[in-house]
Amino acid sequence: MDSIIYKYFPGLTDKQKESFKTMIELYPEWNAKINVISRKDIENLEINHILHSLAIAKFIRFSNGSRIMDFGTGGGFPGIPLAVMFPDVEFLLIDRTGKKLLVAEEIAKAAAINNVAFKHGDVAECKDKFDFVVSRAVMPQPDLLKICRKNISSKQHNALPNGLITLKGGDISAEMKPLASRSEILDISQYFEEPFFDTKKIAYTIV
């Protein structure tokens, strides 16, 4: 059966399809051992986690050679699906929880995703520069920006200015108000028609 991912990304290579297939098979197996996705939500892995992560790929096409940090990646979202989508972009996935990061590492290895690196620890220890920082509902945008601003490069490689791109849910207008002059909020429902996305947003802040 065709994956719902193919519906929205019809131009995938065989290698990309194989990587997504491996992810869809392995996440439930790993999740039974180390809980990276809530037990009741693992059956919605494809839509609620993989496709949700790929909303960022609808918002921006990262240029080849770009560097992206996934802050608080947990079990690898949104970083691993994005790494499959952009094989010529370099991803660093950071998380404080070693067990979750182990799952992300093992799945990346099994799915032959070679453009990801992993860092266990606090982002404060990371001095590297990136074109974008991506994250999924880790903390309010202004707080996240304070922490990772130092990691966002001033050199431009992409069609959009460098900055912070996060996946969020519900009404985020109050949270985003302090950053309104340099931010954009987009409804993910403009990209994907499944009901899960009705309240989901992308928040983009230029640094």
Side-chain angles (χ1 to χ4, degrees):
M1 191 178 85
D2 274 359
S3 163
I4 198 159
I5 298 161
Y6 307 165
K7 170 182 165 185
Y8 293 109
F9 297 94
L12 295 175
T13 65
D14 288 345
K15 185 177 186 304
Q16 286 172 314
K17 288 179 179 178
E18 193 58 39
S19 292
F20 283 125
K21 181 171 176 282
T22 302
M23 286 165 58
I24 290 163
E25 286 169 0
L26 289 188
Y27 266 112
E29 289 178 23
W30 272 103
N31 208 61
K33 300 177 221 171
I34 298 170
N35 196 21
V36 294
I37 294 168
S38 75
R39 298 266 195 263
K40 62 176 192 278
D41 202 30
I42 191 68
E43 63 199 45
N44 304 312
L45 167 71
E46 212 171 332
I47 291 174
N48 295 14
H49 299 277
I50 299 175
L51 193 60
H52 188 204
S53 298
L54 293 175
I56 291 172
K58 287 290 189 186
F59 172 64
I60 180 171
R61 213 171 161 76
F62 295 124
S63 302
N64 290 355
S66 294
R67 298 191 74 217
I68 313 295
M69 177 207 283
D70 178 2
F71 178 97
T73 188
F77 300 104
I80 286 182
L82 289 173
V84 174
M85 195 57 69
F86 298 107
D88 297 308
V89 171
E90 199 182 312
F91 288 83
L92 177 68
L93 279 54
I94 293 186
D95 202 274
R96 286 180 180 174
T97 308
K99 284 197 301 186
K100 290 185 176 183
L101 212 56
L102 169 72
V103 174
E105 284 191 67
E106 290 298 326
I107 285 175
K109 204 183 299 175
I113 305 165
N114 304 317
N115 55 324
V116 287
F118 300 88
K119 183 175 174 63
H120 176 216
D122 198 307
V123 76
E125 300 158 15
C126 179
K127 306 290 187 272
D128 291 2
K129 296 285 187 184
F130 302 86
D131 298 286
F132 292 92
V133 172
V134 299
S135 190
R136 191 165 78 142
V138 170
M139 64 176 70
Q141 196 95 338
D143 299 340
L144 184 50
L145 189 62
K146 277 179 199 156
I147 294 168
C148 67
R149 184 195 299 273
K150 66 177 172 46
N151 298 106
I152 297 175
S153 171
S154 57
K155 294 176 184 170
Q156 298 289 328
H157 297 105
N158 288 271
L160 291 174
N162 293 357
L164 176 61
I165 303 170
T166 57
L167 296 167
K168 296 191 172 279
D171 183 1
I172 58 168
S173 51
E175 172 189 332
M176 295 298 294
K177 201 170 183 182
L179 306 173
S181 62
R182 52 200 168 108
S183 294
E184 197 178 343
I185 300 170
L186 300 100
D187 294 320
I188 294 178
S189 57
Q190 68 183 294
Y191 306 127
F192 306 140
E193 62 188 15
E194 285 68 28
F196 172 77
F197 298 109
D198 289 352
T199 60
K200 298 291 182 279
K201 318 271 187 203
I202 288 175
Y204 164 54
T205 301
I206 298 168
V207 173

